[in-house]
Amino acid sequence: MKNNFIVYVLSDSVGDTAEQVARAAAEQYENTDYEIKKFPYVESLKKIDKIMENLNPANSIFVYTMVNKEISEYLQRACKEKGIPYIDIMAPSLDKFTGFLNQEPIRESGVIRKLDEDYFKRVEAVEFAVKYDDGKDPRGILKADIVLIGVSRSSKTPLSMYLAHKNYKVVNIPLVTGSKVPDQLFEVPRRKIIGLMIDPSDLIEIRRERIKVLGLDNSVDYVSIEKIYEELEYAQKIMKKLGCPVIDMTKKAVEEAANLVIDIIDDLN
């Protein structure tokens, strides 16, 4: 004869953790037939009273994750009064962590969900930065949180990726002498655009290292000091025309530059 029972899964958040634990435990027993009734976002004592109505204590068991102490203790009292067994999944872990860290938990529901949301936002931002890197598709300018503009090797790509890991959707656009600037740059709010400038002597050294990696020689225009001055002058004119803030990237680490960009964006928004 099968044992039929109902597992009441309660949580002040989504309740996925409690449900997974309840199923994993219930599946360990043969000759049983169980049903799971899940109640997410239990955030009031009245909701517990409503759940307790019309249930059969003889075939019920409660499994729950509650970080709200008042609601958790109320649920425990209600279960004891009706003789219903209950499992508080969070309490043993919180007790151990409290003793280990010597501090009380914040008791905020949905923390894991918030972390998951933050993770997926970061992944989306990184994918965005890759898709619209180096002016691949100027349409991304209209969708971006931040638009970086500058000459080649002014740290646009590494800065874009670093900012993406901070959850910002970033597009970077190269400014090349003689090439048309995307129209979209003049369609977005100036507060979203950041110009990147760099000292010519530093830029030439960075480019020389780059062509060495590519197996090219130093005679190309890419490392010509006259060409570099021309490019920087052109970039400066574009930035002035756009009226955007400008950061000097000379000797700056990506982390330092990223903090400057974030400060500028936050101040202007």
Side-chain angles (χ1 to χ4, degrees):
M1 181 177 176
K2 283 191 174 184
N3 289 316
N4 299 319
F5 62 98
I6 299 173
V7 183
Y8 289 83
V9 172
L10 280 68
S11 176
D12 49 14
S13 185
V14 181
D16 288 346
T17 301
E19 182 180 5
Q20 288 172 7
V21 171
R23 286 190 186 280
E27 289 292 337
Q28 294 298 315
Y29 299 92
E30 297 177 342
N31 298 317
T32 61
D33 190 6
Y34 67 92
E35 176 187 357
I36 286 189
K37 291 188 177 181
K38 184 177 173 183
F39 298 89
Y41 305 111
V42 178
E43 296 172 336
S44 70
L45 306 184
K46 285 184 178 179
K47 193 160 186 179
I48 290 176
D49 290 339
K50 189 170 181 64
I51 294 168
M52 287 288 182
E53 290 176 1
N54 304 319
L55 58 75
N56 180 2
N59 71 343
S60 301
I61 182 169
F62 275 62
V63 179
Y64 63 92
T65 52
M66 297 283 184
V67 293
N68 184 297
K69 197 169 184 179
E70 180 188 8
I71 295 176
S72 177
E73 290 177 348
Y74 186 84
L75 178 58
Q76 288 178 24
R77 287 196 298 272
C79 286
K80 286 176 181 177
E81 286 172 7
K82 290 183 175 288
I84 300 171
Y86 61 88
I87 304 165
D88 182 351
I89 293 174
M90 290 293 289
S93 297
L94 289 176
D95 288 345
K96 289 293 183 183
F97 272 97
T98 298
F100 175 66
L101 298 172
N102 196 29
Q103 73 178 72
E104 290 298 317
I106 58 174
R107 294 192 177 277
E108 180 182 345
S109 62
V111 174
I112 291 178
R113 187 177 73 256
K114 289 177 184 175
L115 289 173
D116 286 344
E117 288 172 0
D118 186 67
Y119 170 77
F120 287 116
K121 282 181 183 176
R122 186 161 63 251
V123 169
E124 185 182 0
V126 170
E127 289 176 347
F128 186 92
V130 172
K131 182 177 181 179
Y132 297 109
D133 180 45
D134 205 30
K136 287 176 185 173
D137 184 349
R139 291 176 298 180
I141 293 171
L142 302 177
K143 305 173 187 176
D145 300 318
I146 300 171
V147 181
L148 302 178
I149 60 173
V151 300
S152 174
R153 313 315 294 175
S154 56
S155 296
K156 297 187 302 301
T157 295
L159 188 51
S160 294
M161 296 306 298
Y162 189 91
L163 289 165
H165 280 87
K166 297 286 184 181
N167 292 356
Y168 291 95
K169 291 181 178 178
V170 186
V171 166
N172 72 79
I173 304 295
L175 299 179
V176 182
T177 310
S179 296
K180 187 177 182 296
V181 175
D183 293 334
Q184 290 89 342
L185 274 179
F186 297 93
E187 297 173 17
V188 294
R190 301 295 174 264
R191 66 179 182 272
K192 287 188 175 185
I193 305 172
I194 303 288
L196 305 180
M197 290 296 287
I198 186 170
D199 184 84
S201 57
D202 273 42
L203 183 56
I204 197 169
E205 290 303 317
I206 293 169
R207 288 190 176 183
R208 279 174 178 166
E209 287 299 316
R210 177 60 177 166
I211 65 168
K212 192 185 295 182
V213 171
L214 295 173
L216 302 174
D217 62 64
N218 285 334
S219 64
V220 296
D221 278 350
Y222 190 64
V223 290
S224 161
I225 191 64
E226 291 81 10
K227 178 70 173 175
I228 284 174
Y229 273 113
E230 184 183 339
E231 286 184 39
L232 290 172
E233 186 179 348
Y234 173 73
Q236 205 164 30
K237 284 180 182 177
I238 296 297
M239 293 171 194
K240 189 174 181 181
K241 187 175 181 181
L242 288 167
C244 64
V246 178
I247 293 176
D248 183 0
M249 294 298 293
T250 309
K251 308 294 184 188
K252 275 192 177 61
V254 171
E255 295 85 351
E256 182 186 359
N259 288 332
L260 286 172
V261 171
I262 292 168
D263 286 344
I264 291 169
I265 295 295
D266 288 348
D267 286 344
L268 294 177
N269 283 285

